[in-house]
């Protein structure tokens, strides 16, 4: 990371729009090469895609993934996105950067380059990739539509679909980059999804995955607690991300050959508490990453509140837990790290 100094806040703002309150129409940009598959605010369709759960909007098609899909949650995901950009030094790990640039170079056959983001959430990664590669078509797929506060770039489109149903709606070898971030919580067969992602990648295409470990780590980077003890009961395969590297390797040894693949663990402190981030001169990106990790986690209590209430916990107990969690996080009373696991693989030509 670059050696820069900073003492400023990120200045991130959250979204407040709800899909239930939005004006009718598709969020696909008017000149997108293909139209979006949904008109998310229509009075006919909105309750097919979305439902209300304890005051928050969640998807209505996948009972494994029950975190909110409203403007408030997408605002938190925007913060998380900016945190990862700071921690990784960009939109993906630097080790994968040369392969991504090669994959997204202008094609000699004249076909447009294409990017797929599985579980796009707020759509921020797709939007940033579309801006960075304006000649490519960037597609975001998720259970629920994003909540944009401004129109996305013309070379984007967003589709409502469940990755558990596969990727057969896309032609084989039609994408140059396939990306996913923190989706295993809602995926029943992640190994199969990795194989399907391989199938839709063009030769030389790049698979990118990013996952946050469901453990918190102490100041010595030793695991200390499970982040969500109820999640394995809801989806026993929620921690499938721990096998991503192994499965990619096994795929390469069988019928899915890779030119290269790798894994990198990125450690981000929960707030700028480390000695390296104290004082007048600190690494600017590391400081921002730590600060945004704190802001992201500060809002996690509100994110999981509907799930905790739906599990039968009394509202007053849940709200007390959230208050205590926010107090601990804002005051950095616990010196914690979070580990982000990044995998990349390049499909053999």
């Amino acid at each position: 990371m670059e050696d820069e100094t900073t003492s400023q806040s990120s200045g991130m703002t959250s979204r407040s729009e709800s899909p239930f309150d939005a004006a009718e129409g598709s969020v696909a940009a008017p000149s997108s090469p293909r139209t979006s598959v949904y008109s998310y605010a229509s009075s006919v369709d909105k309750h097919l895609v979305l439902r209300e759960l304890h005051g928050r909007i969640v998807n209505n098609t996948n009972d494994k993934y029950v975190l909110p899909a409203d403007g408030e949650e997408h605002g938190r995901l925007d913060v998380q996105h900016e945190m990862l950009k700071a921690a990784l030094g960009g939109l993906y790990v630097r080790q994968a950067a040369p392969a991504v640039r090669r994959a997204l170079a202008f094609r000699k056959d004249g076909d447009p380059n294409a990017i797929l983001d599985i579980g796009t959430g707020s759509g921020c990664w797709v939007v940033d990739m579309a801006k960075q590669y304006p000649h490519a078509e960037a597609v975001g797929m998720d259970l629920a539509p994003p909540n944009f506060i401004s129109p996305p770039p013309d070379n984007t489109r967003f589709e409502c679909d469940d990755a558990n149903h596969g990727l057969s709606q896309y032609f084989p070898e039609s994408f140059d980059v396939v990306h996913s971030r923190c989706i295993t919580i809602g995926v029943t067969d992640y190994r199969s999804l990795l194989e399907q992602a391989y199938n839709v990648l063009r030769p030389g295409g790049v698979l990118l995955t990013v996952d946050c470990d469901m453990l918190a780590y102490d100041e010595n980077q030793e695991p200390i607690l499970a982040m969500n003890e109820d999640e394995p009961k809801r989806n026993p395969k929620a921690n499938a991300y721990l096998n991503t590297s192994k499965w990619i390797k096994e795929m390469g040894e069988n019928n899915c050959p890779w030119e290269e693949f790798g894994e990198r663990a990125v450690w981000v402190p929960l707030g700028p508490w480390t000695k390296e981030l104290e004082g007048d001169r600190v690494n600017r990106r590391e400081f921002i990453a730590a600060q945004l990790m704190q802001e992201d986690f500060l809002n996690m209590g509100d994110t999981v509140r509907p799930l905790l209430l739906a599990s039968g916990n009394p509202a007053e107990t849940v709200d007390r837990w959230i208050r205590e969690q926010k107090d601990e996080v804002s005051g950095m009373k616990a010196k914690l790290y979070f580990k982000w696991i990044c995998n990349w693989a390049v499909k053999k030509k």
Side-chain angles (χ1 to χ4, degrees), residues 322-340:
I322 294 174
R323 287 194 302 271
E324 291 173 351
Q325 178 252 355
K326 289 185 176 183
D327 182 57
E328 290 183 4
V329 173
S330 61
M332 291 188 292
K333 296 181 180 179
K335 293 178 169 56
L336 302 178
Y337 278 102
F338 285 88
K339 182 169 73 171
W340 292 83

Side-chain angles (χ1 to χ4, degrees), residues 72-90:
E72 182 179 347
E73 173 65 3
H74 285 168
R76 184 188 71 81
L77 292 177
D78 284 349
V79 172
Q80 184 182 97
H81 174 67
E82 294 300 324
M83 178 275 295
L84 284 170
K85 282 169 60 177
L88 302 180

Side-chain angles (χ1 to χ4, degrees), residues 156-329:
T156 60
R157 79 176 194 269
F158 295 88
E159 302 179 350
C160 284
D161 212 338
D162 188 345
N164 288 304
H165 298 157
L167 303 176
S168 59
Q169 68 270 41
Y170 303 116
F171 291 117
E173 300 185 353
S174 55
F175 291 99
D176 300 289
V177 173
V178 175
H179 172 269
S180 73
R181 178 188 292 170
C182 300
I183 65 171
T184 59
I185 188 175
V187 176
T188 55
D189 190 346
Y190 191 54
R191 167 81 185 248
S192 175
L193 183 59
L194 291 174
E195 293 174 351
Q196 292 178 67
Y198 180 94
N199 290 337
V200 300
L201 273 175
R202 287 168 170 157
V206 185
L207 173 66
L208 302 168
T209 70
V210 181
D211 293 281
C212 183
D213 197 350
M214 291 184 183
L215 298 176
Y217 292 78
D218 64 19
E219 55 191 316
N220 298 313
Q221 297 182 351
E222 295 292 334
I224 58 174
L225 56 90
M227 291 308 304
N228 189 347
E229 295 179 354
D230 290 334
E231 194 51 48
K233 302 174 186 177
R234 179 176 295 275
N235 181 7
K237 299 180 181 179
N239 62 351
Y241 59 86
L242 296 173
N243 296 312
T244 302
S245 180
K246 181 185 75 170
W247 287 339
I248 287 176
K249 182 176 184 293
E250 290 175 354
M251 288 167 59
E253 294 170 347
N254 293 290
N255 299 320
C256 302
W258 305 103
E259 286 187 1
E260 63 174 280
F261 57 87
E263 180 181 85
R264 177 188 169 194
V266 178
W267 296 89
V268 182
L270 185 62
W273 56 264
T274 65
K275 292 181 180 179
E276 293 78 10
L277 299 181
E278 296 175 347
D280 296 331
R281 295 188 60 82
V282 298
N283 183 291
R284 182 174 184 271
R285 288 211 306 262
E286 290 180 1
F287 184 91
I288 291 175
Q291 192 177 52
L292 293 178
M293 184 74 242
Q294 182 182 22
E295 184 176 345
D296 176 18
F297 200 72
L298 190 66
N299 295 315
M300 272 302 298
D302 295 325
T303 289
V304 300
R305 185 177 186 273
L307 175 59
L308 294 173
L309 293 174
S311 299
N313 296 290
E316 58 272 19
T317 301
V318 171
D319 291 338
R320 175 173 55 81
W321 290 344
I322 294 174
R323 287 194 302 271
E324 291 173 351
Q325 178 252 355
K326 289 185 176 183
D327 182 57
E328 290 183 4
V329 173

Side-chain angles (χ1 to χ4, degrees), residues 26-223:
S26 167
V27 300
S31 58
S32 179
R34 303 174 194 167
T35 57
S36 173
V37 298
Y38 64 83
S39 176
Y40 71 80
S42 76
S43 58
V44 175
D45 296 335
K46 67 181 181 182
H47 292 292
L48 298 177
V49 178
L50 305 168
R51 64 186 174 96
E52 187 172 340
L53 180 66
H54 295 288
R56 299 293 297 271
I57 304 302
V58 300
N59 88 86
N60 197 32
T61 57
N62 182 327
D63 60 1
K64 295 289 189 298
Y65 190 90
V66 294
L67 298 184
D70 50 22
E72 182 179 347
E73 173 65 3
H74 285 168
R76 184 188 71 81
L77 292 177
D78 284 349
V79 172
Q80 184 182 97
H81 174 67
E82 294 300 324
M83 178 275 295
L84 284 170
K85 282 169 60 177
L88 302 180
L91 295 172
Y92 33 80
V93 290
R94 60 180 177 80
Q95 290 87 345
V100 172
R101 287 195 292 267
R102 288 195 301 269
L104 291 175
F106 284 95
R107 296 177 57 82
K108 295 180 180 179
D109 58 13
D111 288 342
N113 296 91
I115 301 163
L116 174 64
D117 187 23
I118 305 172
T120 193
S122 69
C124 49
W125 189 86
V126 165
V127 167
D128 277 358
M129 285 293 286
K131 292 177 179 177
Q132 188 167 323
Y133 298 96
H135 62 283
E137 179 181 318
V139 181
M141 182 186 78
D142 208 331
L143 297 165
N147 295 271
F148 290 118
I149 56 177
S150 60
D154 289 349
N155 57 324
T156 60
R157 79 176 194 269
F158 295 88
E159 302 179 350
C160 284
D161 212 338
D162 188 345
N164 288 304
H165 298 157
L167 303 176
S168 59
Q169 68 270 41
Y170 303 116
F171 291 117
E173 300 185 353
S174 55
F175 291 99
D176 300 289
V177 173
V178 175
H179 172 269
S180 73
R181 178 188 292 170
C182 300
I183 65 171
T184 59
I185 188 175
V187 176
T188 55
D189 190 346
Y190 191 54
R191 167 81 185 248
S192 175
L193 183 59
L194 291 174
E195 293 174 351
Q196 292 178 67
Y198 180 94
N199 290 337
V200 300
L201 273 175
R202 287 168 170 157
V206 185
L207 173 66
L208 302 168
T209 70
V210 181
D211 293 281
C212 183
D213 197 350
M214 291 184 183
L215 298 176
Y217 292 78
D218 64 19
E219 55 191 316
N220 298 313
Q221 297 182 351
E222 295 292 334

